[in-house]
Amino acid sequence: MTADAANAAQAPATDPETRGRRDPQAGPPPGILAVVFTALFLAGLVLSTLLAGGDAFPSPFGSTDTVTSYFRDHTGAVRASGALQFAASVPLAIYAATVSARLHKLGVRAPGATIALAGGVLASAFLACSGLVTWVLSRPGVAGQPEAVRALQYLAFGLGGPAHVVLLGLLVAGIAVPGLLAGLLPRALAVAGLAVAAVAELSTLVLLADGAALLLPVARFAGLLWLIAAGFLLPRRRVRTEG
């Protein structure tokens, strides 16, 4: 009777037809999560620009007068930007957890799965913090203090710029390396992921040279596209061929 119970317990896991229909522990589709994350992030950029009457979010390297006038005159745009950045951090964290669990399920025992989880969770946390600091910049009384505005904008930029992008690069690398070595992703996509991760890590140079800020949008938007593609192409389970 014990043997029968054991066989019955193993049946759902070994029955290919049952597994092919649905895996209740697979989690949400990572490709969809990446699309939601990207949509919320881009919505923050677009909506804030529309609410500001077409004025782009100011660079932290711009003049103090330009920066303070923007935050003083466009509090609604700043609030929307901060709120949507914060909202975008949620599907990113879920994406990292889902992909890490899937890599483990696919038999990845190397550090890649854990690196993806750590990078994604930290990237999500930094983005959430950046959104909250941006929200603070929209509060009454803050925009009237130029020194506070400059300090808070630098903090929001540091959190949502180099900190977020560098850790997003770790998420990409944590998926791309096992995706390449274990053949879980198309080779071209995995190699592209390694390139994106390298650019993301190089964006650390922004902390030393303002001109390196050009690396941030390249790594960020290439990373968003890569995460969407990897989310849809990463298999749910490994296909074994009979020899």
Side-chain angles (χ1 to χ4, degrees):
M1 186 170 181
T2 304
D4 292 340
N7 290 335
Q10 290 178 0
T14 57
D15 181 359
E17 182 179 352
T18 301
R19 293 177 63 185
R21 282 201 304 268
R22 186 179 181 187
D23 184 354
Q25 297 185 9
I32 300 298
L33 290 170
V35 169
V36 173
F37 162 53
T38 301
L40 288 171
F41 184 83
L42 294 179
L45 299 179
V46 173
L47 183 59
S48 63
T49 302
L50 292 175
L51 292 175
D55 292 342
F57 207 86
S59 166
F61 309 119
S63 67
T64 300
D65 290 341
T66 300
V67 170
T68 54
S69 63
Y70 179 91
F71 287 105
R72 182 183 63 245
D73 299 337
H74 304 301
T75 55
V78 176
R79 186 177 299 115
S81 175
L84 286 168
Q85 270 196 19
F86 181 84
S89 70
V90 177
L92 176 59
I94 301 173
Y95 179 99
T98 302
V99 167
S100 176
R102 183 171 294 188
L103 288 173
H104 282 299
K105 185 177 180 181
L106 289 168
V108 175
R109 297 292 178 261
T114 304
I115 290 172
L117 177 62
V121 169
L122 287 173
S124 171
F126 282 129
L127 186 63
C129 291
S130 177
L132 291 175
V133 173
T134 301
W135 175 82
V136 170
L137 282 163
S138 73
R139 305 312 298 165
V142 176
Q145 306 175 45
E147 294 81 4
V149 168
R150 293 298 276 178
L152 288 172
Q153 191 197 14
Y154 278 128
L155 179 59
F157 171 77
L159 291 168
H164 168 70
V165 170
V166 167
L167 274 301
L168 194 70
L170 283 186
L171 170 60
V172 172
I175 303 169
V177 171
L180 177 63
L181 298 180
L184 301 174
L185 291 172
R187 182 177 179 82
L189 180 64
V191 171
L194 295 178
V196 170
V199 175
E201 302 317 302
L202 285 174
S203 65
T204 303
L205 295 172
V206 176
L207 301 177
L208 300 175
D210 295 349
L214 293 174
L215 295 172
L216 291 173
V218 175
R220 187 195 304 276
F221 293 111
L224 293 177
L225 292 175
W226 193 90
L227 290 174
I228 292 173
F232 282 113
L233 294 176
L234 190 67
R236 288 179 178 270
R237 57 188 177 278
R238 217 170 247 200
V239 178
R240 292 181 175 85
T241 58
E242 296 295 335

